[in-house]
Amino acid sequence: GGCHLQGMTLSDAAGLQREKLLEWLNLMIPGVIFEGYGGRMAKGLQRVDGEGFAVDMAIKDASHIQRLAQETRASVPTIATVLDHLKGAQAKGRGDWDWSAVAATVREASGRNAEP
């Protein structure tokens, strides 16, 4: 997810089409995560009723991961960033969107349109 949202934001800034980046990622690192969630991010399909995994639920799970990591003194350095992006999406009224809505939030923070 983080690779997608940061990569797609960078590709926007560089003038590269998100679909081309996704095509490359799928070729280099094939799998459901890149194809499914990456496709949603590239096409701006984060608002899917009843499908996907809601931002609100992702915040709950990510918070649990963060708490568990702190309790066990495990290094999970990206979880704070993920939580910040998820909370940003929630603050923009995207709590019921699929968690890939963080892509829209990151694009906005970069001065870009929320959706393609």
Side-chain angles (χ1 to χ4, degrees):
C3 178
H4 282 108
L5 65 97
Q6 293 173 37
M8 289 185 190
T9 298
L10 183 58
S11 70
D12 281 347
L16 177 68
Q17 293 178 343
R18 288 185 213 127
E19 289 80 9
K20 291 294 181 188
L21 174 64
L22 181 61
E23 182 180 320
W24 181 83
L25 287 170
N26 287 336
L27 178 67
M28 299 305 291
I29 312 168
V32 175
I33 298 295
F34 282 111
E35 292 173 21
Y37 285 113
R40 285 183 181 179
M41 291 178 192
K43 296 175 182 146
L45 300 176
Q46 290 90 27
R47 282 187 263 181
V48 285
D49 295 326
E51 293 182 25
F53 191 67
V55 166
D56 291 336
M57 296 302 293
I59 289 172
K60 180 181 138 265
D61 285 1
S63 296
H64 179 67
I65 291 166
Q66 186 178 49
R67 189 173 46 257
L68 184 60
Q70 289 169 344
E71 289 173 4
T72 61
R73 297 181 187 212
S75 177
V76 185
T78 59
I79 198 67
T81 302
V82 170
L83 268 168
D84 285 346
H85 290 313
L86 288 167
K87 289 176 181 178
Q90 186 182 52
K92 298 233 179 213
R94 298 176 182 139
D96 59 341
W97 289 23
D98 180 73
W99 76 269
S100 59
V102 297
T105 306
V106 170
R107 283 195 295 269
E108 287 172 333
S110 299
R112 303 211 152 355
N113 291 329
E115 296 185 35

